[in-house]
Amino acid sequence: MTDGAFKGFGPKAIPFLKALDFHQSREWFLENRDLFEQELRDPLGDLVDTLTQRFTDAGLGLRGDRKKSLFRINRDVRFAKDKRPYNRHVSAILSPDGSKAVQGVFYIHIGLEGCFAGVAWWQPEAALLLAMRRAIETWPDRFRAMVKALKKNGLELDAEGAMKRTPRGFEHVTDKDLVGAIRSRHFAVRHAIDPAGIQTVALVDELVDFTLRAKPLLDWGRAIEGNVPEC
């Protein structure tokens, strides 16, 4: 049990993930479950609780729950060729309503692939994605102002995973920056976390600072989302 205040991930957090990735065994995991909870799961829950309070104080409109916000360490292998049972990371989401089912979220990832945080409208459903593309087309100055504000804050939109061709209905858009944005399947910014820094409470301030710098993206998406008709 913890008092809910984040004090840092344990010193054996990354070594545990390396060992779990090596063994990929249910038996090994159950034998070492206490270590997982002490070094990774409980601190991640504390981080969600602490960030929820800090995000509330900062007016960011993001919250989470130490149980519901955390992703499982177990992989869903039902339809995967890779049948390894465990992830190589732990992660969690804070969102406007505290669930994982909405957009405009904060994401934290601690793992062997790297440690990072993100603020994102990640692969939004079709109606919202279309509305975002229409907003870029119709109000390009608003989109560019958001991008400029992010850049001023040291952030850039993620360009990975974009469509190779412009989606139907937007062929008339020719400005290079707008074309690139309209081809995007998501709108996200990322912050790299030094793995050496995950063991200290200073990680909280670092993540709050990042999310405040990413607020122009949250505000832009929320303004659009609020005008999408409900199905």
Side-chain angles (χ1 to χ4, degrees):
M1 296 293 292
T2 71
D3 61 10
F6 180 73
K7 301 177 181 67
F9 289 93
K12 296 181 181 178
I14 298 300
F16 174 88
L17 290 173
K18 289 180 179 178
L20 177 62
D21 191 46
F22 174 79
H23 290 282
Q24 286 291 342
S25 159
R26 183 173 183 272
E27 291 73 21
W28 185 92
F29 178 78
L30 292 177
E31 289 175 3
N32 293 275
R33 189 182 185 94
D34 289 347
L35 186 62
F36 165 70
E37 294 177 353
Q38 177 183 332
E39 301 288 301
L40 284 160
R41 192 195 68 179
D42 289 346
L44 183 57
D46 292 342
L47 182 59
V48 167
D49 283 348
T50 302
L51 286 175
T52 293
Q53 185 59 57
R54 290 289 300 275
F55 286 171
T56 298
D57 293 344
L60 287 166
L62 297 166
R63 60 188 174 92
D65 177 275
R66 66 181 302 113
K67 292 183 178 179
K68 296 179 182 178
S69 298
L70 277 60
F71 289 96
R72 298 179 65 204
I73 190 70
N74 306 76
R75 296 181 65 246
D76 184 353
V77 300
R78 290 173 298 173
F79 307 106
K81 292 182 179 179
D82 183 353
K83 297 299 182 182
R84 289 178 297 176
Y86 295 101
N87 284 311
R88 307 172 78 240
H89 62 268
V90 295
S91 57
I93 273 183
L94 283 79
S95 69
D97 67 359
S99 79
K100 298 172 184 168
V102 295
Q103 286 289 336
V105 303
F106 168 90
Y107 173 77
I108 177 75
H109 181 110
I110 303 295
L112 303 183
E113 311 90 344
C115 301
F116 64 90
V119 167
W121 302 82
W122 191 261
Q123 295 182 350
E125 54 90 23
L128 178 55
L129 181 57
L130 177 60
M132 288 177 154
R133 288 170 171 166
R134 290 294 182 204
I136 293 168
E137 169 201 22
T138 307
W139 300 289
D141 289 347
R142 297 180 189 178
F143 173 75
R144 286 171 171 147
M146 181 269 289
V147 172
K148 183 178 180 180
L150 289 176
K151 187 174 182 179
K152 183 179 178 181
N153 293 342
L155 299 172
E156 290 186 2
L157 289 176
D158 179 13
E160 293 184 11
M163 300 172 64
K164 292 183 179 180
R165 295 183 179 180
T166 302
R168 185 177 299 175
F170 295 92
E171 296 89 350
H172 60 282
V173 179
T174 57
D175 290 4
K176 187 175 180 180
D177 61 329
L178 302 182
V179 170
I182 286 171
R183 289 181 179 181
S184 294
R185 291 186 172 95
H186 57 257
F187 299 90
V189 290
R190 181 183 295 209
H191 169 73
I193 300 169
D194 184 348
I198 69 172
Q199 297 175 28
T200 72
V201 69
L203 178 62
V204 173
D205 286 337
E206 179 181 342
L207 296 177
V208 172
D209 173 73
F210 160 65
T211 310
L212 285 169
R213 289 187 289 119
K215 190 172 182 293
L217 174 59
L218 287 173
D219 292 344
W220 176 79
R222 286 169 179 168
I224 298 167
E225 185 180 44
N227 291 307
V228 176
E230 294 186 7
C231 297

